[in-house]
Amino acid sequence: MKTYLSLVLMLASMLAYTPARGLERGYFGFNAGTMGIDEPGNDPAANFGLTIGGIITKQGITSLGLEAQLTTTLIEGNTSVGGRDWEIDSLGLYGALRLGAEACFKLKGGYGKWQIITDSATTDENDFSWGLGFGLPMRSGNMLEIEYTIIGEINNRDIRYISLTYLFK
């Protein structure tokens, strides 16, 4: 978790003054949702996290940006085998494409790293990670996004994160 946090803090410092970095606009936000493994009988964990990003270019209703997402488990899940508790920490570094003038569709892809901890073992993995979502603008100028993200794969089973993110722009 310390490694993940230091990577996200590094990205946040790079985005702190976005005009100097050639980014049109930076943003940050908080996400919460269910993190689960596609296996019958497994109960998902409840995760909470931080999202940081910036728009690199914008043409009409299309924007392309960079985004980092860090999550950690608040409420542990439960496995179908042996009834063991499990938790997951994750880090994703993505390219994010948004389509839409106000409300938008989002497609992201990039690097995903995660650590699953059970009562008896710890597994560290990384893989291609991708997701899609839909964003709604708020009156404040901020954005509310709902996303479905495949964090990666373990034992031929997808690790998925269904989340709600509030972005401050």
Side-chain angles (χ1 to χ4, degrees):
M1 185 65 173
K2 289 179 186 177
T3 302
Y4 298 159
L5 185 57
S6 59
L7 286 171
V8 169
L9 290 174
M10 181 179 70
L11 181 63
S13 67
M14 290 175 8
L15 294 172
Y17 186 68
T18 56
R21 303 287 178 245
L23 298 174
E24 288 184 29
R25 187 181 332 157
Y27 55 86
F28 73 96
F30 300 98
N31 60 75
T34 61
M35 185 82 73
I37 300 171
D38 287 335
E39 186 170 343
N42 274 356
D43 293 330
N47 276 40
F48 176 80
L50 175 67
T51 301
I52 300 170
I55 297 170
I56 297 171
T57 185
K58 186 172 183 170
Q59 297 291 324
I61 63 168
T62 305
S63 69
L64 181 63
L66 296 175
E67 193 168 283
Q69 185 176 63
L70 171 74
T71 74
T72 191
T73 298
L74 291 179
I75 301 171
E76 295 176 337
N78 194 275
T79 63
S80 58
V81 180
R84 296 184 312 230
D85 290 336
W86 70 280
E87 60 184 84
I88 181 170
D89 296 328
S90 70
L91 169 69
L93 302 173
Y94 303 102
L97 176 69
R98 287 182 173 85
L99 303 168
E102 295 295 324
C104 67
F105 290 99
K106 177 181 175 183
L107 178 64
K108 68 181 185 179
Y111 172 79
K113 180 168 179 53
W114 67 93
Q115 180 181 60
I116 295 177
I117 302 164
T118 65
D119 298 334
S120 60
T122 299
T123 304
D124 287 299
E125 297 281 338
N126 56 14
D127 202 349
F128 177 73
S129 179
W130 66 274
L132 50 95
F134 183 74
L136 292 170
M138 303 283 100
R139 286 187 179 153
S140 62
N142 299 325
M143 179 77 74
L144 186 65
E145 292 183 342
I146 185 166
E147 284 188 16
Y148 178 85
T149 305
I150 300 295
I151 301 296
E153 188 178 281
I154 186 166
N155 300 328
N156 296 320
R157 307 255 187 221
D158 288 337
I159 301 170
R160 63 189 170 359
Y161 185 43
I162 302 169
S163 63
L164 190 62
T165 303
Y166 191 86
L167 295 175
F168 298 92
K169 294 187 168 196

